[in-house]
Amino acid sequence: MSHRLPRGPRLPAWTATLTWKAAVFITVMCCALAALLGALVHVSVTNQTVGQAREHALARLDDATEAFEAGDDLGPGAGVDPPGLPAGLRKLAAGGERGTMVDARDSRPTMWAAGPATGRRAVAVQVDYAQGARTIDGLDRAILGSSALAIGATLLVGAFAVTRVTRRLHQTATVARRISAGDLDARVNDPRTREPSRRQDEVAAVSGALDTMASSMQGKLQSEQRFTADVAHELRTPLTGLHAAAELLPPGRPTELVRDRVAALRTLTEDLLEISRLDAKSERVDLDDHHLAPLAERAVRGSAVAAELVVVRDVCVVTDRRRLERVLGNLIANAAKHGRPPIVVTVDGPVVSVRDHGDGYPDYLVEHGPQRFRTEGTSRGHGLGLTIALGQTAVLGARLTFANAADGGAVATLTLPYEESADDCARGADGAARGAV
């Protein structure tokens, strides 16, 4: 049995941005480069300084050794087995070899040089190394300061450059989301794509490709919309004549079938025309104050469906009565056609839900919304009713969502724009009454 390891703490959302990642990358690279260059300079200067001090100490050791062998005074800073001589250097000299070592004597850096003398003793000299140590310390401070300054300047310049790129990417992503939401007029219009002779970077290439795709998609959709509108308009005249001819047929079962099919064709044609007007965004709303419960009741009665109306809380909304009844009627009709009873219409404030107890909406409809004439497997699809309901909802400035209930059944939820305020409908009714008196 495998056990999932516990996850660490989640990082803030801003750490996922490209700007933050680029800043971290630039900082890490600058620190690594500064550390590498600083180490190289430190090692080079230290070797040079220590080498010069060592040569000077060895030269003095040669003079002290000659003086010792001649029995002369060894001079200042020199002696045989002087106190303070590092034990390791003393052992090296007693073994017959010469060497140097930097040691701190009385907290002052000193360069020692020692060589062999008679009787396993050591001739040693000491050279003040404080100036060399100060030189190296000053160099280290200069390296740290210049590295911090260089990292800060590079980080600022890099962040500015990356921010310009991310701002353009953000604009491209915003336009892409607008296009996916239905705004086909949205364009990035990157200035780098306006001149074909101008060199383009990768962001400009993506922006240009997105604009080209949006223009192509818009042209194809407009062609499809014009085709749908033209077909619907052309069908109205022959269908009107066909309907009139069907009315002249003698009563009987064949006549009923013909009239039923003609009525279905006329309904489909009117739906296509309505979708064409919604696609063209030529619909205009007639807003007025209405209580929501009476409108829902009218929609239930007009649908000729045995639906139950439940009013939890009635409110007054500013809406287009005809369009709202059209939306509710389509939702109720769809529930009756594709679901199973009982069908319940619930009014709870500015929210109206229509629920049936059938198999629920298909997964594609819940995830992506209704699609025209879409069918799933052997099902009959959902026609144009939900598409029209969604379009009319957008005209009303409302929101329509589709979901499946946990205990079975499809639930369509219509949320109307509403502000908590005094009852405008009641005030309007009182004003009309006073005007009548």
Side-chain angles (χ1 to χ4, degrees), residues 288-291 316-318 422-437:
D288 201 354
D289 298 328
H290 298 281
H291 276 293
C316 181
V317 295
V318 180
D423 196 338
D424 295 332
C425 296
R427 290 204 304 270
D430 292 342
R434 286 194 299 271
V437 173

Side-chain angles (χ1 to χ4, degrees), residues 401-417:
T401 58
F402 303 93
N404 292 323
D407 55 347
V411 182
T413 304
L414 174 66
T415 305
L416 295 166

Side-chain angles (χ1 to χ4, degrees), residues 232-244:
H233 279 291
E234 293 297 328
L235 284 175
R236 293 185 75 178
T237 301
L239 282 176
T240 302
L242 187 60
H243 177 74

Side-chain angles (χ1 to χ4, degrees), residues 181-373:
D183 184 8
L184 297 182
D185 293 325
R187 298 291 186 274
V188 180
N189 290 326
D190 194 308
R192 294 168 179 78
T193 62
R194 297 175 183 174
E195 301 177 10
S197 60
R198 185 176 179 180
R199 292 183 179 273
Q200 298 183 6
D201 57 9
E202 288 78 1
V203 179
V206 172
S207 302
L210 179 63
D211 288 347
T212 302
M213 180 194 70
S215 299
S216 176
M217 185 184 304
Q218 186 178 33
K220 291 180 179 179
L221 287 178
Q222 289 176 347
S223 298
E224 292 179 1
Q225 292 169 6
R226 286 193 297 269
F227 175 77
T228 302
D230 292 343
V231 168
H233 279 291
E234 293 297 328
L235 284 175
R236 293 185 75 178
T237 301
L239 282 176
T240 302
L242 187 60
H243 177 74
E247 294 296 329
L248 300 177
L249 293 176
R253 180 60 180 169
T255 301
E256 293 180 1
L257 293 176
V258 171
R259 290 176 180 175
D260 179 69
R261 293 300 89 194
V262 170
L265 283 174
R266 293 188 65 181
T267 301
L268 177 60
T269 302
E270 295 299 327
D271 287 346
L272 290 174
L273 287 173
E274 186 172 358
I275 287 179
S276 300
R277 291 192 297 269
L278 291 172
D279 289 339
K281 294 180 172 48
S282 60
E283 297 282 12
R284 296 294 180 268
V285 292
D286 182 15
L287 299 178
D288 201 354
D289 298 328
H290 298 281
H291 276 293
L292 193 52
L295 295 184
E297 184 179 2
R298 284 170 55 93
V300 171
R301 289 201 310 265
S303 64
V305 174
E308 177 186 358
L309 177 63
V310 178
V311 179
V312 178
R313 180 170 65 96
D314 187 19
V315 295
C316 181
V317 295
V318 180
T319 188
D320 187 324
R321 179 183 61 81
R322 181 182 63 84
R323 297 183 188 279
L324 179 58
E325 292 180 0
R326 172 70 160 154
V327 172
L328 295 178
N330 281 13
L331 295 178
I332 296 171
N334 183 81
K337 183 177 181 181
H338 300 283
R340 289 191 294 270
I343 299 172
V344 181
V345 180
T346 305
V347 178
D348 187 0
V351 180
V352 183
S353 62
V354 179
R355 177 183 178 181
D356 62 61
H357 290 75
D359 298 329
Y361 292 120
D363 292 338
Y364 80 87
L365 193 148
V366 175
E367 295 178 4
H368 306 291
Q371 301 176 23
R372 303 171 191 181
F373 301 112

